[in-house]
Every structure is written in C-alpha cells, then in structure tokens.
Amino acid sequence: MGIAKRIIPCLDVKDGETVKGTNFVDLRHAGDPVELGKAYSKAGADELVYLDINASFEGRKTFADMVTKVAQEINIPFTVGGGINELQDVERLLYAGADKVSVNSAAIRHPELIEQIAQRFGSQVCVCAIDARLDEDGWHCYLKGGRERTERGLFEWAKEAQERGAGEILFTSMNHDGVKNGYANEALAQLADSLSIPIIASGGAGNKRHFLDAFTIGHADAALAASVFHFGEIPIPELKRYLKTEGVDVRL
C-alpha cells in the first residue's frame, strides 16, 4: 500500500467569509471559515486549504487573525495562501498557526521565494499553487486569481518549482473550476508522472466518481474541492467510504 490519498476541502476567504465561484468569478457566500473548518475536521477531512482570494492586491491583517482562530479549533493540518510575497508573510502565517503556506503569483514573479521558504522552514511547508488554463497554445499559468496570463507553461513551471524546493504542487485547472465536470485528469497524470513530489488536484469536482478518476486516471495524491463540500452535495464520510470500496487507500 502507498501513502493514503487525501481529501482536502478548500475555503476561499473574502472579507472574513467563505465564498465560492465558477471559473474564478460569480462569487457566492458559503459560511463562516472557522465553523466550516471545524465541521470538516470532525467529518474526516485530511487537510484544509484556506485562500485569501483578494490578498494579492488588498491588505489582510484580518486573515492572520482568522488563521489563529482556525488553529485553535481544528486538529488536522491546514495550508494558507494568498498574497504571500516574502518570508515575513510566511513567518506571520506559520506563527498564527498554519502548517503550510501556498505561494502562487509571487513565486512565478520571484521563483527564488520557493528556495527561501524551503531553506528557512523546510520543503514540507511550501506548497506551490499553480492556476493554469488550457489555451489554444497549451497550458499557461495565470496570476492574480486568474486575471493575468503569463508565458510560463504549466509543466515546465511545475518542474522548476520542484527543483527549487516546493514540497507539493496544487494544480487548479481554470477551465474546470466550479464547472463540476471532473478534474483535468490528463494534465494531472502528466504532472504526477513527471514529478516526484505530491500533486493536489483542484478544479472540477461534481460527484464522487470525479474524485476516483483524479486518483486512478490523474494519479493525484490528493483531491481538493470546495462547493460540493460547502453546499452539502457530497458528505466527506460518504465520499471516503465510496473511494475505499473502489480500492483507493483513504483514511476512514
């Protein structure tokens, strides 16, 4: 048996509220981030991800305060991201109680940030989040919550992130985000087969089969989702029992 596959609810936080959108826009409210985190921890989630979705261009002291509250209420690891531009940001969030940090826009602009985080706090702390879209000329990475296209290709950037010391890749397919038609399994499999660090699938979960496909076709190490959990469409205990019966190694 390999390492158990992980189920990770993702909470996008805006102005202290959990929100969820489709293709990165059309946000609707999904509840209090601390209470939701507590409920997911009790329901058997393996980890949580909290993303301050406006942090790349807004101030965010309130987010660090929320991280402290989450840390006091849950007993599973959680990652926080959004607007992390330098080591001081990482330090502040880890000090507030986070287990890992997720870097995205700043890492593409300044790839040495990944090395600095890994050297200072260890690779296990550094999750490199990649928002990518399949355009006519291939998979491209995007910045600022999907607003700005870069010329970085998904696969070469993921490889560089690993080489610089990232401990995990969190890959969100913008084409699939919130659409609920399944994950980008071909791209996931290509990432998983070319890298040695864990790959977290994000974007596209609509039913239990989609999670199964992410693990079996996409070779992902973890599957992240938001709306299907936030709005009660797929209870985590039910999802894990289903995956277990399908032969996927999960922690029940």
Side-chain angles (χ1 to χ4, degrees):
M1 297 286 267
I3 296 169
K5 303 292 189 182
R6 291 170 287 151
I7 300 298
I8 306 177
C10 178
L11 298 91
D12 291 341
V13 179
K14 181 175 187 279
D15 306 325
E17 278 280 315
T18 311
V19 295
K20 184 61 193 122
T22 304
N23 299 127
F24 283 44
V25 293
D26 300 330
L27 302 177
R28 57 180 174 148
H29 291 280
D32 176 78
V34 180
E35 290 305 313
L36 268 175
K38 210 158 116 182
Y40 288 141
S41 181
K42 286 180 180 165
D46 297 294
E47 294 183 20
L48 298 174
V49 170
Y50 284 91
L51 297 177
D52 188 351
I53 61 171
N54 275 3
S56 289
F57 53 99
E58 286 181 8
R60 56 150 217 298
K61 185 181 182 309
T62 50
F63 190 65
D65 294 341
M66 186 213 72
V67 168
T68 300
K69 289 176 189 157
V70 170
Q72 290 165 348
E73 295 287 351
I74 71 170
N75 57 9
I76 56 175
F78 70 103
T79 300
V80 294
I84 294 171
N85 296 305
E86 55 188 5
L87 279 180
Q88 283 172 306
D89 298 327
V90 178
E91 202 156 32
R92 182 173 65 250
L93 292 167
L94 294 177
Y95 184 73
D99 298 279
K100 309 177 197 178
V101 295
S102 163
V103 289
N104 189 335
S105 298
I108 287 184
R109 287 199 201 95
H110 307 290
E112 65 277 6
L113 179 63
I114 294 174
E115 290 167 282
Q116 292 168 358
I117 295 169
Q119 285 164 10
R120 177 80 176 272
F121 304 106
S123 283
Q124 78 286 350
V125 161
C126 185
V127 179
C128 182
I130 303 176
D131 297 334
R133 194 169 80 185
L134 182 56
D135 295 329
E136 286 183 7
D137 55 346
W139 283 97
H140 279 269
C141 301
Y142 278 71
L143 300 180
K144 295 182 182 171
R147 294 174 183 84
E148 184 183 304
R149 174 177 146 133
T150 75
E151 289 313 302
R152 297 302 305 253
L154 165 62
F155 302 106
E156 50 103 359
W157 169 234
K159 191 169 190 301
E160 182 179 334
Q162 172 179 280
E163 288 166 356
R164 286 181 179 271
E168 292 180 276
I169 299 291
L170 166 52
F171 161 51
T172 301
S173 165
M174 292 171 60
N175 310 72
H176 296 72
D177 179 65
V179 182
K180 301 187 178 178
N181 286 336
Y183 293 93
N185 293 317
E186 283 183 28
L188 278 169
Q190 195 172 330
L191 284 170
D193 295 346
S194 61
L195 303 180
S196 58
I197 57 176
I199 308 297
I200 304 168
S202 168
N207 60 45
K208 289 179 283 194
R209 177 65 194 240
H210 293 153
F211 288 88
L212 177 64
D213 289 345
F215 294 133
T216 56
I217 301 169
H219 306 164
D221 299 276
L224 176 146
S227 56
V228 293
F229 296 143
H230 299 340
F231 303 115
E233 294 161 41
I234 303 178
I236 290 172
E238 188 183 299
L239 171 61
K240 287 190 153 190
R241 285 193 298 271
Y242 163 78
L243 291 169
K244 197 81 165 173
T245 60
E246 294 291 334
V248 177
D249 182 18
V250 290
R251 293 185 197 90
L252 292 178

